[in-house]
Amino acid sequence: MLGALIRINFSLDIVKVDKSEFSKRLNEWGSKKVPFLFIVDFENEKPLTWKLSDVNPSELKFDIQGFTNVLNVKGHTDSANMTVFPNPFHEYEKKFNFVFEQLSYGYSFLINLTDKTRIETKSSLVSLFEQSKARYRLWYKDQFLVFSPEIFIQIKDRKIFTFPMKGTMDATIPNARQNLLDDAKELAEHVTIVDLMRNDISQIASNVMVNRFRYLEEVKTHERTLLQVSSEIVGDLPVDYAATIGDLIISLLPGGSVSGAPKAKTMEIIRQAEKEKRGYYTGVFGYFDGVNLDSGVMIRFIEKEGDKLFYRSGGGITTQSNAKSEYQELIDKIYVPID
C-alpha cells in the first residue's frame, strides 16, 4: 500500500480511548489484520485510533512516506514564510538551569527540553501541509500540523526498526559534517539515546543490534539545509507479534529521543521544567497495513491556540550543554521543510 492514495469513506469514526483500551483495540485489529491509523500524545492520555477505511480527509490528512489519503496539491512556496517571535532568552535560561541542575545531581543523563514559540504566517495549516515535504506529515482538524523527519518504529517482515535522531547543524557552516560528528556533546547525547532505544527494543524483540551508527541526512527547509544524525537499530519480532501490537506500541512510549534517560525520572523533570503538558507534540502517529507498520515521532510541530499559532521545538540537554547554544538550536528548528 505504500505510496498509494487510499480510498476512504466519509463517515469519520474517531475512537478516543484510554491507554489500556487503546492497546486492547489495536491488539484486536492486529490479530484480525485490520488496517488502522493511530495517534498517541506525549503523556499517553488522549490516544486516537481509526480503522483506516474510516479516516475522513476533511478532518485528518496524513502522508506517511508516500502513503496518503489526500492528493498532494502544491501551493505557492513563498506564502510559507514565517515571522518568528522567540521567547526571551532569560525565560528559556530558567528552564535550562533547572534541567542542568537535575543532570548535575545525577538524576538524569539526558533531558529533552522543549518550548513553544509564537509564529505568524499567511498560510493556513492545510496549505503548509500541502507544501511541506517530510517523511511524516499530519494535519488534524486544523488544531495542529506535523512535518516530521523522524521515524519512531517500522515493522517489516517481522523485523522491527528504529532510527533514533540526535544531533542537528546548519549545513552551510564550514566543515559542518565533520564538526557535527566530532562534537563531544552531540556524541554523548546520541550514544545515550541509542543505548536507551536498544534496551527498549530488547524488551519486545530478539537479536537486537545497531546496524548503522551515526549517519548523516540532509533536511531541506524554506530557509536552509540542516544536517541531522541518526542511527539504525533492528530486532526480530515473534511470529504472532500483530496480536499484541497495541501493547508493543505502548511499551516503547514515550520515544527516547524526545524524553531522555532514564525515562521515568526524566519525565518527572520535564514536567517540572516545562510546566505544561505537551499534548500531541512529541507523541507518535502511524499506520498498520495488516502486516507491517510505519510510524513517526511528532516533531516539527505547529499548533493553534485560539487565533494564534505556536511552533514547538527543543533539544537534548546534557552536562556538556550550553544555554545559549541550546536556545539557538531551538530557534533554528523553527522551519517548514520546503525546497
Side-chain angles (χ1 to χ4, degrees):
M1 294 199 303
L2 192 63
L5 176 68
I6 66 168
R7 294 183 180 276
I8 47 83
N9 65 49
F10 287 83
S11 58
L12 185 66
D13 180 23
I14 299 177
V15 182
K16 189 173 181 179
V17 295
D18 63 21
K19 182 168 64 174
S20 61
E21 184 60 29
F22 172 85
S23 294
K24 181 179 177 181
R25 189 176 298 274
L26 266 55
N27 291 345
E28 178 184 349
W29 288 346
S31 66
K32 296 178 179 178
K33 302 185 183 302
V34 176
F36 62 77
L37 184 81
F38 67 94
I39 305 175
V40 188
D41 58 304
F42 180 71
E43 288 81 18
N44 210 346
E45 295 175 345
K46 301 176 290 184
L48 301 169
T49 66
W50 298 261
K51 290 183 179 179
L52 204 55
S53 59
D54 291 333
V55 177
N56 184 342
S58 69
E59 298 196 9
L60 188 154
K61 303 179 191 297
F62 69 85
D63 185 328
I64 300 173
Q65 303 208 69
F67 180 65
T68 181
N69 69 335
V70 295
L71 290 171
N72 197 15
V73 180
K74 294 290 181 181
H76 297 290
T77 57
D78 58 359
S79 67
N81 292 333
M82 291 188 299
T83 304
V84 179
F85 302 91
N87 295 319
F89 171 69
H90 68 85
E91 291 184 6
Y92 174 81
E93 189 176 30
K94 286 181 182 178
K95 298 178 181 180
F96 176 91
N97 288 342
F98 172 76
V99 163
F100 195 85
E101 183 179 51
Q102 301 302 303
L103 291 164
S104 300
Y105 290 154
Y107 295 143
S108 177
F109 304 109
L110 171 67
I111 301 171
N112 181 257
L113 179 62
T114 75
D115 203 356
K116 63 182 184 182
T117 303
R118 189 169 72 84
I119 63 168
E120 290 181 356
T121 175
K122 294 180 180 179
S123 295
S124 67
L125 295 186
V126 168
S127 177
L128 291 177
F129 174 90
E130 293 172 346
Q131 295 179 57
S132 60
K133 294 181 179 179
R135 285 193 180 106
Y136 302 95
R137 295 186 297 149
L138 176 69
W139 170 89
Y140 180 62
K141 285 187 166 182
D142 216 35
Q143 295 175 9
F144 63 83
L145 169 66
V146 178
F147 28 78
S148 174
E150 184 168 359
I151 299 166
F152 176 53
I153 58 170
Q154 294 176 334
I155 298 174
K156 302 175 184 177
D157 301 323
R158 284 183 38 234
K159 287 188 177 294
I160 183 168
F161 299 83
T162 189
F163 301 81
M165 180 182 289
K166 273 296 172 189
T168 304
M169 185 173 287
D170 187 334
T172 63
I173 294 174
N175 301 314
R177 289 176 175 268
Q178 200 59 47
N179 288 342
L180 180 53
L181 291 176
D182 289 345
D183 189 294
K185 180 262 181 183
E186 297 289 1
L187 173 60
E189 187 178 331
H190 196 91
V191 168
T192 300
I193 290 303
V194 168
D195 190 51
L196 172 65
M197 295 307 297
R198 182 175 56 189
N199 289 337
D200 280 356
I201 295 296
S202 294
Q203 303 303 310
I204 56 173
S206 59
N207 304 317
V208 176
M209 64 182 68
V210 179
N211 267 359
R212 290 185 289 169
F213 181 67
R214 297 191 82 211
Y215 60 89
L216 290 171
E217 295 181 295
E218 290 188 352
V219 177
K220 296 185 183 298
T221 80
H222 65 294
E223 292 183 339
R224 72 193 82 180
T225 298
L226 297 177
L227 295 176
Q228 297 192 311
V229 184
S230 296
S231 289
E232 177 186 347
I233 303 169
V234 62
D236 297 325
L237 292 172
V239 175
D240 60 346
Y241 89 89
T244 56
I245 195 168
D247 298 330
L248 182 155
I249 293 168
I250 290 295
S251 72
L252 297 174
L253 294 172
S257 65
V258 291
S259 55
K263 274 189 186 180
K265 182 60 180 179
T266 301
M267 287 289 286
E268 292 180 16
I269 297 169
I270 288 172
R271 282 191 289 269
Q272 293 176 67
E274 296 184 359
K275 300 186 184 305
E276 65 176 345
K277 294 181 179 180
R278 293 185 184 176
Y280 290 105
Y281 171 56
T282 64
V284 302
F285 82 99
Y287 85 104
F288 175 70
D289 67 6
V291 179
N292 300 318
L293 180 140
D294 195 358
S295 59
V297 182
M298 292 195 286
I299 58 174
R300 314 300 185 261
F301 188 100
I302 300 176
E303 64 184 352
K304 184 178 289 186
E305 292 185 6
D307 60 351
K308 295 181 179 180
L309 293 177
F310 292 89
Y311 198 115
R312 296 264 194 163
S313 58
I317 312 298
T318 72
T319 54
Q320 297 173 293
S321 295
N322 172 274
K324 287 189 176 179
S325 297
E326 296 296 340
Y327 175 72
Q328 187 59 51
E329 180 179 330
L330 182 148
I331 295 171
D332 288 343
K333 287 178 177 176
I334 300 174
Y335 67 80
V336 180
I338 296 173
D339 293 343

